[in-house]
Amino acid sequence: MGGSVASLAGREWTMEIDFALIGHQESWRAAADVLAVLRGPERTPLPDDEIKDILPWIPARAVCHVEVGSIEDMRARGLYIDSFIPPDRLEAAYVHENIARVRAAAACAINAGAKIVSLGGFSSILIEGNFDLLPERHNTVFTTGNTLTVGFIVQGIKRMCEMEGRNLRRSTLLIVGATGDVGSGCARCLAPIVKRVLLSARNAERLRKLATELQSHGVQVEIATDLPENDLQRFSAEADVVICAASLASPSLLLGRVARDAIVCDAGYPKNLSPNAQTPGAKIFFGGLGQIRGGLRFAPDFHGILNRHPFPDVVHGCLLEGMALALEGRFEPFSQGRGFISPERVAEIDKIAAHHGIYLAPLYNADGPLEGSTSWRGGMLERMSATRENRVATDARPMPLNA
């Protein structure tokens, strides 16, 4: 590819790096937008077929500086590092290739001197439970960011219940992907405050272990492995609160018939719910997202590309955890492994995030906002449109954030 894609790789570091964020794009459209900024405004955008040919050959690299602000009048500086995992290569067949990509991204963060690194999307799933897969870390620590993700999912469920006038304590909760780190964390936080819990996951042994743990605290639990169609129909029809937190390579989850007016949180990255899912009457929202009140800056400007949300300064909880900890000066592996997320740990990271003005993002779904932003189709869309236009007129080369 020669010099057709710019990056921050190989630059002399002139500033201290507090944090790094490792991620990947969940769609080819998003990947194309990232490449357009990296290539610069003087280059003609690549055709879709060329992007699909080129992307698998791009090594992990830092693509932009990130600066996050706190309401406590402090800032933290970091990097966003893209692992460039192709959106169509998230299946198990590519696991070794993708682990190598995450390792390379981790090496970029370590070489840059990042103090703490958040693993976003499938990066945390690939490494989950086995941080030994990462390179020698020196003074850099890693977090999956899953604890803050769980915190925002739980807050979102509670807010939706308030908006819909629903009593959560009378609800039946279904968690799809219940044995993953996020799913099991949600179960531990919500099981004590709902009437009944239904758990779905692929791994029968882990599923039974989680059910036993919850039952020991007096929770009414039912489980189903792999959910054959009849069980899926029964579980989804009986649940009035659903959390979709499965590790899926694409939006392919078909819940089946859901309870009338069920609240459904799609917390997947990529999204879990298939566009063909039949959920008439369900109140769906995208979960696990937070909003930075102190402001977020990218250089080059990736607003609306790396954070493709209908509200300003919204980021996935997994990445926000590293930012919040950096602002707090707590450079520690807050979330790692599988099955260690507890209500106490969630409350702790929620408090740290809130201290710096990182709160639950306004709720929305594929159709738009669900609350609190009548200006979304006006002001926010205008801002996002202006950002994209500025990409054409702005030099995409890296620049100091204090320029």
Side-chain angles (χ1 to χ4, degrees):
M1 286 177 52
S4 62
V5 176
S7 79
L8 306 183
R11 287 174 56 87
E12 291 295 325
W13 300 106
T14 59
M15 65 179 70
E16 187 174 83
I17 302 299
D18 300 307
F19 64 87
L21 315 172
I22 293 177
H24 60 90
Q25 305 311 309
E26 66 175 331
S27 70
W28 286 111
R29 183 67 267 152
D33 287 345
V34 168
L35 291 183
V37 175
L38 293 180
R39 282 166 52 81
E42 71 280 2
R43 294 180 180 270
T44 303
L46 294 170
D48 290 348
D49 57 343
E50 287 191 29
I51 291 172
K52 292 184 178 182
D53 288 339
I54 290 172
L55 194 72
W57 296 98
I58 302 177
R61 62 183 67 191
V63 301
C64 69
H65 295 292
V66 183
E67 186 178 83
V68 59
S70 166
I71 57 174
E72 292 294 314
D73 195 26
M74 60 182 68
R75 307 192 76 79
R77 298 172 183 267
L79 295 172
Y80 171 73
I81 300 170
D82 205 309
S83 59
F84 289 103
I85 297 174
D88 60 356
R89 294 191 183 185
L90 295 174
E91 294 90 351
Y94 299 99
V95 64
H96 296 297
E97 173 187 323
N98 290 337
I99 288 175
R101 287 179 174 274
V102 176
R103 281 178 52 84
C108 289
I110 294 167
N111 292 338
K115 299 175 185 176
I116 187 167
V117 183
S118 278
L119 300 170
F122 259 66
S123 301
S124 63
I125 294 167
L126 290 163
I127 300 300
E128 185 179 284
N130 194 357
F131 274 46
D132 290 340
L133 291 172
L134 296 172
E136 185 177 351
R137 294 182 287 284
H138 305 292
N139 296 319
T140 300
V141 300
F142 287 78
T143 180
T144 64
N146 288 340
T147 308
L148 188 54
T149 296
V150 169
F152 286 139
I153 292 171
V154 171
Q155 290 180 43
I157 291 290
K158 291 178 178 179
R159 180 174 291 180
M160 278 294 292
C161 285
E162 292 173 0
M163 291 167 55
E164 296 297 315
R166 191 79 51 82
N167 187 340
L168 187 56
R169 293 191 176 276
R170 296 178 181 174
S171 295
T172 295
L173 169 68
L174 167 61
I175 301 179
V176 181
T179 59
D181 201 32
V182 170
S184 61
C186 290
R188 294 188 187 93
C189 290
L190 289 171
I193 57 175
V194 298
K195 179 180 179 181
R196 179 176 169 228
V197 177
L198 310 175
L199 303 177
S200 159
R202 292 185 290 265
N203 189 300
E205 182 179 351
R206 290 177 184 162
L207 198 57
R208 286 192 291 267
K209 183 178 179 181
L210 177 60
T212 300
E213 175 190 337
L214 297 176
Q215 288 166 342
S216 69
H217 296 286
V219 177
Q220 182 182 348
V221 182
E222 293 182 47
I223 64 174
T225 305
D226 284 335
L227 282 181
E229 185 176 353
N230 58 336
D231 282 341
L232 175 58
Q233 292 287 342
R234 179 174 64 85
F235 266 34
S236 57
E238 293 177 4
D240 52 2
V241 176
V242 181
I243 296 174
C244 304
S247 303
L248 301 180
S250 62
S252 56
L253 179 64
L254 295 167
L255 279 177
R257 182 170 55 90
V258 298
R260 185 174 183 82
D261 296 326
I263 291 172
V264 180
C265 171
D266 190 340
Y269 186 91
K271 297 291 182 289
N272 274 193
L273 286 176
S274 167
N276 299 321
Q278 299 297 314
T279 55
K283 312 296 182 182
I284 299 172
F285 74 96
F286 298 149
L289 302 167
Q291 186 174 46
I292 304 168
R293 300 294 173 85
L296 180 67
R297 293 181 62 200
F298 300 102
D301 190 356
F302 277 91
H303 270 106
I305 298 174
L306 293 182
N307 56 338
R308 306 171 77 86
H309 311 290
F311 300 100
D313 301 334
V314 169
V315 180
H316 285 273
C318 54
L319 299 180
L320 283 172
E321 183 170 296
M323 297 185 196
L325 290 167
L327 288 168
E328 188 74 0
R330 287 182 57 170
F331 302 104
E332 59 189 71
F334 196 91
S335 302
Q336 59 180 322
R338 183 201 298 262
F340 297 109
I341 298 178
S342 65
E344 294 75 21
R345 293 288 279 176
V346 170
E348 183 179 1
I349 195 65
D350 281 351
K351 183 177 180 180
I352 291 171
H355 176 240
H356 294 286
I358 300 174
Y359 305 113
L360 174 69
L363 304 182
Y364 74 97
N365 60 26
D367 295 324
L370 299 175
E371 59 166 347
S373 180
T374 56
S375 63
W376 176 73
R377 295 192 181 277
M380 189 55 206
L381 278 184
E382 288 175 7
R383 171 175 172 173
M384 293 177 71
S385 176
T387 296
R388 293 190 178 98
E389 290 174 3
N390 286 341
R391 293 204 329 257
V392 177
T394 302
D395 187 348
R397 291 173 297 177
M399 64 188 77
L401 282 167
N402 57 359

